[in-house]
Amino acid sequence: MRLLLTAFDPFGGEAVNPALEAVKMVRPVVSSVEVVKLEVPTVFGKAIQRVAEAIAEIRPDAVLCIGQAGGRFDISVERVAINIDDARIADNEGNQPIDRRIADDGPPAYFSTLPIKAMVDAIRKLGLPGSVSNTAGTFVCNHLMYGVLHTIANQKRPIRGGFIHVPFIPSQVVARPNAPSMALADIVRALEAAIGAIAAYDTDVRLAGGKEF
Amino acid sequence: MRLLLTAFDPFGGEAVNPALEAVKMVRPVVSSVEVVKLEVPTVFGKAIQRVAEAIAEIRPDAVLCIGQAGGRFDISVERVAINIDDARIADNEGNQPIDRRIADDGPPAYFSTLPIKAMVDAIRKLGLPGSVSNTAGTFVCNHLMYGVLHTIANQKRPIRGGFIHVPFIPSQVVARPNAPSMALADIVRALEAAIGAIAAYDTDVRLAGGKEF
Amino acid sequence: MRLLLTAFDPFGGEAVNPALEAVKMVRPVVSSVEVVKLEVPTVFGKAIQRVAEAIAEIRPDAVLCIGQAGGRFDISVERVAINIDDARIADNEGNQPIDRRIADDGPPAYFSTLPIKAMVDAIRKLGLPGSVSNTAGTFVCNHLMYGVLHTIANQKRPIRGGFIHVPFIPSQVVARPNAPSMALADIVRALEAAIGAIAAYDTDVRLAGGKEF
Amino acid sequence: MRLLLTAFDPFGGEAVNPALEAVKMVRPVVSSVEVVKLEVPTVFGKAIQRVAEAIAEIRPDAVLCIGQAGGRFDISVERVAINIDDARIADNEGNQPIDRRIADDGPPAYFSTLPIKAMVDAIRKLGLPGSVSNTAGTFVCNHLMYGVLHTIANQKRPIRGGFIHVPFIPSQVVARPNAPSMALADIVRALEAAIGAIAAYDTDVRLAGGKEF
């Protein structure tokens, strides 16, 4: 099995992106999965284009995109991407779309086709906090998740796809009182556990993982 | 203009539901909008059925459903409902579906057809905190929002629909350290301001209101 | 019984201080207590001096000082003031002392001589969140609480004294996502309930109100 | 230089105490400081007694006590201990004192005699979040910090003393949504950096480290 593992470059004034730092440290083969890594620009449009090109070139069996969710407490496996861009801040090229469809011909949302409950379960079994998230936001992370799932939906070959958000690492919160963080080594272990679950589960496990709101 | 305004009964062990208490106090006519109120059971399936029946009977121009989001800090106007039930806790009749589609024939998501940015703007202009939320969860609130928008989508007559989540009221947090709350009177004012925005705006205003995640 | 009720002017870039706004709205007589109000500058040294002068002039039986704790979720009745100034930000005249004793001849700390548990209990009985706090910080609030208790300790006549911190009001958090707030009217009710408890209890009630850290 | 480094056993229903796990992993010699370790029962009275006995036996130059502050985001170096026990929960032998003085003959508070600003600075220079805390609570942690400083104050030989609170480790928050944690290895590094600062600084550095409340 071949997995395309992507991560964004730093954005929002940060010097590093923990998603990118963690992806760099993921082993090239995890649970017999060949991991091909790709850095993606935090730019509307270009992010999707870059990953679509890599999908065409690498022909992966699954695509897992990683992004930073500074302020979240745990590794959150995204359930769904919605067909809208609504940027509170500018992306890395100054774009700030408001309430714009990502794909005019696309459905209102795509659900992840990765085994999200099994991925969360694998992370928790390591003793690390993880959960299913029901929103990837409306910035470039959601944009890319939607775009990748839209790209995949139009392929002849079956490819699974999804997204994981990771917290700040400790160095990012030294000057941010009361912001949670997770050690980089733990983020790496969580991502490798998630990759293992992707390899092990074609269909997801039946575990409660919802939220009231 | 006629608005159907719904609120859930208490759930999750709470003695009150601030959504219901607030809806009771909304004036019968707000900004020339005739407000018809409906209490809805916090029960999968029955909640949608009850509102669908009221829509058929009352023939409103818009439907606004209100629910409690205990732990949120502000009035959050929901952007989207997704086609999935995933209950962390049981509903008021003991149902706890996991990863079940709400409508087998429905799209993956419905976007609110209310002017969500204008509604948030009207709330903030009162000096009250409000924001667009990109997830209504996967419990009965999201279930009802999806179900109402699905019901409306199949009507010949155009009806707009959407959902607002409200925080705990202070009495609910006396025994919950570090849980945010909002005064009931302020929730009522916020709901009336949102109704005013629904009356004033057929299409939404262009204001940034997104989130990075 | 006569109570001197003080509140600081706005600081830290805020347009209002909810402590001051609330004190303005407290009734002149609460539970037979004559309430004399005083606005205090958020300035090291001058704050204590102003209240000490008022104590000499008004000859109150008790002094209750009110300050803003933006970010706290409830009405917090302070237990103790410590003999140190350590300012993270400048006060309203640009002073920013670091690790300086408030009174060279003073003890390391003063405990409130108001019935703090009874005050919290009275607030909670209104259905409003309240708790005992074990730190008033190291800025002008702690400075004033210490200074008032030091002033009182050196009087011949017995005077009781203490401090209450109040949260932001809603208008202050419109542009602060995930910051808690409390309605001004509820803060006023809480302060009046606390004053009632001061009048009713010469010695405090025996209620658990501690924290692990 | 010889340092007595103590940590509490698990309490409050937890299977582990991250303070104890971290202390076990601190190296026996850190920055030329000989580290002597001691496990302390989370029990009022006995905790102080155990450490007082160890001080008499080991004759350390400094005492650093470590405790768990589940819910805090960073390594917090305590500034002050207050002369009061007020237990919200029972200790490990069922004691739950309310508003009881720790030492009838003691002052209202003791300030840490360790270089708390230098310790925080050393932790931050590792890229880990740390801060000065102005409350160690009113449970066994504050009790021990006060008791140790009171014991030390009555010795002929000069001994410095203080307390550090550490967050949950990740395994403790797997079932606690939205609770912060820190990797055990990072807690260990932070403690060793703090010990290095104790060795390097007889008097504290002049750095802002206060809080408004």
Side-chain angles (χ1 to χ4, degrees), chain D residues 9-27:
Chain D
D9 56 5
F11 69 95
E14 294 297 307
V16 297
N17 188 323
L20 182 58
E21 299 309 308
V23 161
K24 286 177 189 169
M25 291 172 66
V26 167
R27 287 168 297 158

Side-chain angles (χ1 to χ4, degrees), chain A residues 79 86 88 117 212, chain B residues 79 86 88 117 211-212:
Chain A
R79 186 195 293 267
D86 190 11
R88 191 184 63 88
K117 299 288 181 74
E212 284 82 84
Chain B
R79 185 196 295 267
D86 190 11
R88 191 185 62 88
K117 299 288 180 75
K211 287 177 182 163
E212 284 82 83

